[in-house]
Amino acid sequence: MLENLGIEQSSGRPTFSTAIPSKKNNDAEKNHRLSAFSKAETDDTDFLVEVAKDLEEVDKKMESVVPSQEGALREAIKYAIGYHGKMYRAAAAITGCRAVGGQRIIAIKVGLAVELAHLSSLIHDDIIDHDSKRRGLPTVQSLWGTERAIIAGDYLIIKAIEKLASASDHTEIDPNRALRAIKLALNAGLQMCIGEATSISSWKDMDIKSYLDYAEQKTGVPIQASFSTGAIFGGGSREEVAALSRYGLGIGVAFQIIDDLNNLTSDEEISGKPQWSDLRNGSPTLVLVHALSKSDRLTKRRIVASMGTSTVRDANMAEILDVLRLSGSMEYAEKLASVMVEKAKASLNSVKETPAKRLLLFLADVALRRSC
């Protein structure tokens, strides 16, 4: 199944030395990703294998961005690349490019750029959220410190822009089209920064509308940019790019809602982060915002007092979870994510029927079942 792509989780707690992925483990993960694509529930097996091979190329090229100079920065980036996960955004860019008839070599370059940008955001997210683990492994800042983690994230975002610009080196790429795609990608980065800043400064006062605005900025727009940047570089028409843009935005917001749910309802092996870390860190989630809107003043005060406190006891977290369940907020979030995915899929009605379009519809369903 496509939702099972990525790094196998270790059952033991890794040490500094065992946390760094070996080449043998990376090769096994690539084979796993390829196998999972070829077994996906669709008749377009040949096309899925092609996309899996494109992702394998992205995987290989990611290693080329590691600095040549020995030192902590080199080791931190080498380590971060090893835990980059299921490459949903790279798959989005590749499929968006191929859906409009784009060339494989260009699709891979755009996929590499968006995956590096995403990896940068993960490093910075972990710093903001004070998370010590991601996908069962120690985070970059827990091994190399906050300062080096910030530099590693900055390095990767600059590399992402560099790789995206290099996609325009092909003579068949219209410079104006390339500039349009790069501007779109940069705007996505700006929106993500605004979303993160909003979550830090005003999460206690969020209502459902402001949460959805935040989810759009943090995750919706970046995933939207993955699909539409791929489509622009692939030579898509304005109508095709617009359709993929609407699709990507809806999928991205649903992606964030399900990610929030996973952290509340799944263990660390499934969500990739310590359970309930969003509550402990004071991170806004749709479930929480909805529950607070339904709670009386005393209950709301008790929940808000517990959030953002890393030392709060599990018993307090369990009490908050009971409130979230009784309010119907989890079911509300699941339903809204499902509605957004269906609307996103409807955005593709104007896109011609191809294996790439069928994969896009499949990726939409993956967003609802994601476990990364």
Side-chain angles (χ1 to χ4, degrees):
M1 291 294 295
L2 193 59
E3 66 268 30
N4 291 327
L5 302 182
I7 294 176
E8 298 287 351
Q9 300 294 334
S10 169
S11 58
R13 181 181 177 87
T15 62
F16 177 88
S17 59
T18 60
I20 298 178
S22 67
K23 184 179 186 302
K24 180 179 179 181
N25 288 337
N26 281 341
D27 289 344
E29 288 151 10
K30 292 171 188 175
N31 291 335
H32 173 64
R33 185 178 294 118
L34 180 59
S35 173
F37 261 106
S38 64
K39 294 178 182 177
E41 291 179 351
T42 175
D43 294 331
D44 298 309
T45 303
D46 291 343
F47 181 73
L48 287 171
V49 171
E50 285 183 29
V51 174
K53 289 179 178 177
D54 291 351
L55 288 177
E56 188 174 356
E57 280 300 307
V58 171
D59 222 355
K60 291 177 182 176
K61 291 181 182 299
M62 287 185 78
E63 297 172 5
S64 70
V65 307
V66 176
S68 58
Q69 298 90 340
E70 294 293 334
L73 179 62
R74 173 182 169 83
E75 292 304 313
I77 292 173
K78 189 175 178 181
Y79 172 79
I81 287 173
Y83 77 27
H84 62 74
K86 301 177 184 180
M87 303 175 72
Y88 186 96
R89 288 156 186 78
I94 289 167
T95 310
C97 185
R98 283 174 167 265
V100 298
Q103 296 183 30
R104 179 175 187 253
I105 188 171
I106 296 173
I108 290 169
K109 285 192 172 187
V110 179
L112 173 62
V114 299
E115 196 63 27
L116 289 173
H118 175 56
L119 183 54
S120 168
S121 73
L122 294 184
I123 294 173
H124 286 161
D125 273 354
D126 289 337
I127 296 169
I128 293 168
D129 295 339
H130 308 288
D131 281 334
S132 60
K133 282 189 176 182
R134 177 171 290 277
R135 301 190 179 101
L137 296 175
T139 53
V140 172
Q141 88 271 11
S142 69
L143 294 176
W144 283 276
T146 301
E147 294 86 355
R148 288 193 178 95
I150 292 172
I151 295 169
D154 291 347
Y155 177 93
L156 286 169
I157 192 63
I158 293 169
K159 275 292 182 183
I161 297 169
E162 176 190 274
K163 295 298 181 183
L164 191 61
S166 75
S168 62
D169 291 342
H170 297 269
T171 55
E172 65 272 19
I173 298 292
D174 179 353
N176 291 327
R177 179 179 287 273
L179 182 60
R180 178 179 157 211
I182 292 169
K183 285 182 176 179
L184 187 152
L186 292 173
N187 178 66
L190 292 175
Q191 292 300 312
M192 186 169 60
C193 291
I194 293 169
E196 288 286 9
T198 299
S199 71
I200 294 169
S201 62
S202 60
W203 61 266
K204 294 179 183 179
D205 302 318
M206 276 190 178
D207 56 18
I208 290 174
K209 181 183 181 304
S210 58
Y211 169 84
L212 292 175
D213 289 342
Y214 151 77
E216 275 196 12
Q217 291 169 326
K218 181 183 177 184
T219 308
V221 173
I223 289 183
Q224 175 189 46
S226 298
F227 285 105
S228 51
T229 300
I232 292 171
F233 270 106
S237 66
R238 291 267 179 185
E239 292 75 17
E240 288 173 321
V241 173
L244 284 163
S245 180
R246 291 191 298 272
Y247 165 86
L249 185 62
I251 294 301
V253 175
F255 211 80
Q256 182 62 51
I257 293 171
I258 296 301
D259 187 56
D260 294 345
L261 273 168
N262 279 343
N263 189 245
L264 290 171
T265 61
S266 303
D267 59 25
E268 184 176 323
E269 187 172 347
I270 297 297
S271 70
K273 299 189 294 184
Q275 191 174 32
W276 309 335
S277 63
D278 286 342
L279 289 175
R280 295 183 194 277
N281 297 333
S283 300
T285 68
L286 179 60
V287 176
L288 178 72
V289 169
H290 182 267
L292 290 177
S293 73
K294 300 292 183 181
S295 300
D296 58 55
R297 185 177 299 177
L298 178 60
T299 302
K300 182 175 180 179
R301 188 160 53 230
R302 289 176 65 185
I303 291 175
V304 170
S306 294
M307 284 190 64
T309 308
S310 60
T311 58
V312 70
R313 294 181 303 170
D314 286 352
N316 296 106
M317 290 294 101
E319 183 181 354
I320 294 173
L321 281 173
D322 284 340
V323 173
L324 300 183
R325 292 190 185 99
L326 291 172
S327 65
S329 299
M330 293 185 182
E331 291 82 1
Y332 174 84
E334 288 176 351
K335 183 176 180 180
L336 183 57
S338 180
V339 168
M340 298 195 78
V341 164
E342 290 306 312
K343 286 184 177 180
K345 289 162 74 172
S347 299
L348 300 178
N349 288 342
S350 61
V351 177
K352 60 185 177 183
E353 290 295 328
T354 63
K357 178 179 176 178
R358 289 189 287 274
L359 179 56
L360 288 169
L361 296 173
F362 186 76
L363 286 173
D365 293 329
V366 168
L368 286 177
R369 301 194 303 272
R370 68 177 298 243
S371 58
C372 59

